Amino acid sequence: MADTVLKNQTSTVPKQAGGPGSALVTDKGTTSIDDVVVAKIAGLAAREVSGVHAMGGGAARALGTMRGMVGAETSVTQGVSVEVGERQAAVDLDLVVEYGIAIPELAAAVRRNVINAIERMCGLEVTEVNIRVDDVNLPGQEEARKKERKKEEPEPEQESRVR
Amino acid sequence: MTTPSTADPRAAARPQVPVQRPAPARLPEERRGRTEVSDRVAAKIACRVARELPEVLDVGERGGLPWTRSPGAEVRDDHVTIALDVVVAYPAPLRSTTGRIRRHVAARVGELTGLRVRRVDVAVTDLRVTP
Amino acid sequence: MTDARKIADRARSCPGVAGLSGGPFGVVATYLPGERITGVSVTDDEVDIAIVARLTEPLLEAEPFPETADRLRQAMADLTGDRRVNVRIHDVVEEPR
């Protein structure tokens, strides 16, 4: 697929002056950007907005936590999916938001930051950023959950078992 | 990627690859794309804002943590219906109290989610004498 | 075809480039006797380069990819001549400045 993108761009795509996308096709050669790169930029930009607590649906977050436990860091592309064309991109985001922030305003801020970042960094026009708010983080929720977990599973006596 | 595409009706409606449009007047960034709020989010917010009223002692909870049990909210397009179980302080005039809860939850959920609140059902499951 | 090796070395020394990459399936590569140069392929009128870009933080100040690509083209202009240089950003790594 990547191969065809390169070939198409070199031969058939007409040049267009101005606007995002124009920097990608020049007479000196084309610049093409893989989906994962666009997704990483989107993930980083979304996380920059305060009020975004985490990203990804429940299953993805659970997986991320498991990965976190074995040492790898949570992927920046978690909760992000993109479709990238030659000059345009569309983004879907799954968010967990902090309680107390009006979701329409938060979504607008996320959209602005993600669109600006992708258009500036990748030179692609972003046609849409669809946002799904999958969960909300209530104050005190995390601590209560940890307490609850401790109650259920008392600390294992690690030392004695290891030795 | 992580979007559960099978359960997502949007996925079918969306073109596979962004259409290469001739770039008409571009929409402002804030308006490019849809925002969707899950049932769980609407329910958790409804539960939480109900507690802002002093006469509400407990919401949607009979044992367990308040957020582990969803009192029920259903989001359809841009509107939501909510059902809450509440424990209220005694003595309190029941009818006016449930009315207040309904109005307060509708206003706050609307404000925080951007959804139109079509209906709030309030069931008083217990009365508790406050010290 | 020692060009490919020189181009690869030149690309790797560009500041916005964290490394070269063959792309998925390693399609971008040059095969020389006893050697495989990943991330560069050269024909008579085109040079394809696939890179892993370096992303500095904050995001707002990071160099846009088209500019990174232009710098690459400039850095190897004497090697590539009037061939078109197609740059593919295959991946990105975050690096604090």
Side-chain angles (χ1 to χ4, degrees):
Chain A
M1 191 187 99
D3 218 20
T4 56
V5 167
L6 283 172
K7 275 170 193 154
N8 285 347
Q9 283 183 345
T10 52
S11 54
T12 58
V13 173
K15 273 197 294 168
Q16 243 178 33
S22 60
L24 295 176
V25 185
T26 70
D27 49 9
K28 295 226 166 104
T30 62
T31 304
S32 59
I33 295 163
D34 280 28
D35 292 13
V36 66
V37 174
V38 178
K40 281 185 179 178
I41 300 290
L44 289 169
R47 280 164 210 269
E48 277 180 358
V49 179
S50 69
V52 174
H53 175 75
M55 295 185 64
R61 287 203 308 282
L63 264 173
T65 312
M66 274 163 57
R67 279 198 211 105
M69 272 152 45
V70 296
E73 62 180 308
T74 317
S75 165
V76 284
T77 59
Q78 185 172 297
V80 184
S81 69
V82 297
E83 295 167 41
V84 183
E86 282 177 20
R87 292 170 186 279
Q88 295 181 318
V91 181
D92 286 356
L93 300 174
D94 266 2
L95 303 184
V96 179
V97 303
E98 296 293 357
Y99 172 80
I101 295 169
I103 289 171
E105 272 89 89
L106 178 64
V110 168
R111 238 172 231 125
R112 255 195 313 269
N113 212 42
V114 168
I115 290 174
N116 285 336
I118 294 178
E119 293 194 341
R120 198 183 75 83
M121 285 302 294
C122 305
L124 291 160
E125 185 198 351
V126 181
T127 54
E128 54 182 10
V129 177
N130 294 313
I131 295 173
R132 180 178 159 81
V133 182
D134 187 66
D135 205 349
V136 57
N137 183 59
L138 299 172
Q141 181 174 336
E142 228 121 84
E143 296 85 83
R145 233 183 232 155
K146 269 177 214 150
K147 248 184 247 160
E148 194 66 11
R149 207 170 292 155
K150 265 190 194 151
K151 238 187 274 166
E152 282 164 18
E153 312 159 18
E155 292 278 299
E157 297 159 48
Q158 281 181 337
E159 277 97 350
S160 57
R161 227 173 263 176
V162 170
R163 276 163 207 175
Chain B
M1 212 170 298
T2 49
T3 314
S5 52
T6 46
D8 189 356
R10 303 177 292 169
R14 199 188 308 130
Q16 284 302 303
V17 167
V19 191
Q20 305 291 313
R21 294 181 205 116
R26 295 166 72 203
L27 280 173
E29 289 140 12
E30 303 76 49
R31 288 175 51 206
R32 274 184 247 166
R34 293 174 302 273
T35 305
E36 204 184 303
V37 175
S38 72
D39 292 354
R40 173 169 44 177
V41 168
K44 278 166 86 168
I45 289 176
C47 223
R48 181 81 188 190
V49 298
R51 287 161 181 271
E52 289 169 351
L53 296 172
E55 60 267 49
V56 175
L57 299 180
D58 222 339
V59 187
E61 184 187 0
R62 283 169 232 146
L65 300 166
W67 45 84
T68 53
R69 184 175 163 275
S70 164
E74 202 179 343
V75 180
R76 282 277 159 83
D77 302 320
D78 65 341
H79 61 258
V80 59
T81 53
I82 296 164
L84 292 180
D85 292 348
V86 295
V87 175
V88 298
Y90 181 84
L94 273 193
R95 183 166 301 170
S96 64
T97 302
T98 53
R100 258 165 58 78
I101 295 172
R102 197 172 286 127
R103 283 191 301 276
H104 178 76
V105 169
R108 289 284 284 145
V109 169
E111 178 182 278
L112 288 174
T113 63
L115 297 165
R116 285 187 302 148
V117 182
R118 176 165 283 185
R119 156 182 190 151
V120 182
D121 290 331
V122 177
V124 177
T125 56
D126 201 1
L127 298 170
R128 212 174 286 158
V129 181
T130 44
Chain C
M1 276 299 236
T2 51
D3 267 9
R5 190 183 303 123
K6 281 189 193 155
I7 288 171
D9 289 343
R10 202 68 73 80
R12 268 191 290 262
S13 65
C14 279
V17 177
L20 293 172
S21 158
F25 321 117
V27 286
V28 183
T30 298
Y31 296 89
L32 299 175
E35 188 184 10
R36 177 175 184 277
I37 296 166
T38 301
V40 177
S41 94
V42 182
T43 67
D44 285 346
D45 36 56
E46 281 187 340
V47 176
D48 286 345
I49 304 174
I51 66 161
V52 175
R54 183 169 291 171
L55 192 65
T56 53
E57 286 183 293
L59 194 52
L60 200 65
E61 287 164 27
E63 183 182 65
F65 299 126
E67 285 176 25
T68 305
D70 275 345
R71 285 218 279 165
L72 261 172
R73 291 187 186 102
Q74 278 161 25
M76 57 186 61
D78 59 316
L79 298 172
T80 55
D82 51 10
R83 282 176 287 203
R84 294 162 55 86
V85 178
N86 302 318
V87 179
R88 171 165 178 184
I89 315 294
H90 172 57
D91 202 352
V92 67
V93 289
E94 299 157 72
E95 279 176 24
R97 187 164 287 180

